[in-house]
């Protein structure tokens, strides 16, 4: 991407990532449990809680790599975005078990590596 098109600050990219990644995670994690309690079916919690966790983790695993590419293509420093995203609880450190649960294609992995190499 042309350097002149890199217009987003790292902080803003992470704030947007928090909205499009973590907001749905929290909704998927707590929404079904709250709905189950509001209809008076606490007996279903043993089923709802694990399913909510799987759905929330699935969303995170799928959306984080896509957000990361979107952000990396719009900022000056991919390492700054990465550090701020870790601090915000948006991503995990490289090599961690949780980071390895990200769902991304080979093309996405290659693009990420390319953007990380071409940026400070």
């Amino acid at each position: 991407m042309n350097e002149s098109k890199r217009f987003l600050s790292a902080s803003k990219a992470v704030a947007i990532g928090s909205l499009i990644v973590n907001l749905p995670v929290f909704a998927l994690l707590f929404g079904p449990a709250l709905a189950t309690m509001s209809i008076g079916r606490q007996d279903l919690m043993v089923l709802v809680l694990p399913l909510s966790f799987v759905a929330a983790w699935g969303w995170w695993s799928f959306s984080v790599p896509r957000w990361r590419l979107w952000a990396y293509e719009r900022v000056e420093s991919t390492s700054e975005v990465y550090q701020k995203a870790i601090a915000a609880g948006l991503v995990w450190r490289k090599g961690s078990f949780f980071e390895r649960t990200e769902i991304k294609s080979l093309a996405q992995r290659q693009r990420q590596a390319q953007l990380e190499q071409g940026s400070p």
Side-chain angles (χ1 to χ4, degrees):
M1 176 176 263
N2 186 327
E3 287 299 317
S4 65
K5 292 185 179 182
R6 294 187 178 211
F7 59 89
L8 198 61
S9 73
S11 295
K12 189 165 210 152
V14 170
I16 291 169
S18 294
L19 289 175
I20 59 176
V21 174
N22 284 346
L23 191 61
V25 164
F26 286 112
L28 288 166
L29 197 56
F30 299 114
L34 293 173
T36 301
M37 289 189 319
S38 72
I39 62 171
R41 294 296 310 263
Q42 287 81 354
D43 58 314
L44 295 176
M45 285 298 219
V46 72
L47 179 63
V48 169
L49 291 176
L51 290 176
S52 295
F53 179 80
V54 169
W57 199 278
W59 172 256
W60 179 88
S61 295
F62 180 79
S63 63
V64 156
R66 285 143 189 85
W67 164 79
R68 183 185 290 115
L69 289 179
W70 174 87
Y72 281 6
E73 290 175 343
R74 288 162 176 78
V75 297
E76 298 245 351
S77 171
T78 59
S79 61
E80 184 181 0
V81 170
Y82 172 71
Q83 291 301 321
K84 288 182 183 275
I86 288 173
L90 186 57
V91 300
W92 298 92
R93 293 206 178 274
K94 289 182 193 232
S96 75
F97 167 78
F98 301 112
E99 188 255 350
R100 285 181 262 161
T101 66
E102 292 180 12
I103 300 169
K104 53 187 162 185
S105 69
L106 179 60
Q108 289 168 323
R109 289 178 197 279
Q110 291 171 337
R111 181 67 177 142
Q112 178 181 335
Q114 179 185 37
L115 289 166
E116 288 171 343
Q117 287 176 350
S119 175

